[in-house]
Amino acid sequence: MKPDPEGGDLPMEAKAGDHIVVEATVVDQSRREGEVLEVIGSGDRTCYRVRWRDGHESVFHPGPGAHVTSPG
């Protein structure tokens, strides 16, 4: 989620090729990083097919701690 200028949170928006980072929410858990391969759905039902750094792929529904970073 990204901050809303009015104080709330806006949904995360990414496109194919963007990188996603999911920050750890539990002690001793590491952050997850991956590349968006495909955007599935739209609006409140948007999810992403992501290739994670360890090579696995999954469909990811963004939640707290997830944000988009620049490729590279």
Side-chain angles (χ1 to χ4, degrees), residues 24-70:
T25 58
V26 178
V27 175
D28 294 334
Q29 183 182 31
S30 59
R31 76 192 313 192
R32 294 177 69 195
E33 298 180 41
E35 177 185 356
V36 175
L37 302 176
E38 177 183 11
V39 178
I40 303 167
S42 62
D44 291 342
R45 297 181 180 258
T46 302
C47 57
Y48 304 93
R49 187 166 57 93
V50 176
R51 181 181 303 119
W52 300 104
R53 183 175 271 183
D54 67 4
H56 287 90
E57 292 183 17
S58 67
V59 174
F60 174 70
H61 299 267
H67 58 272
V68 179
T69 64
S70 316

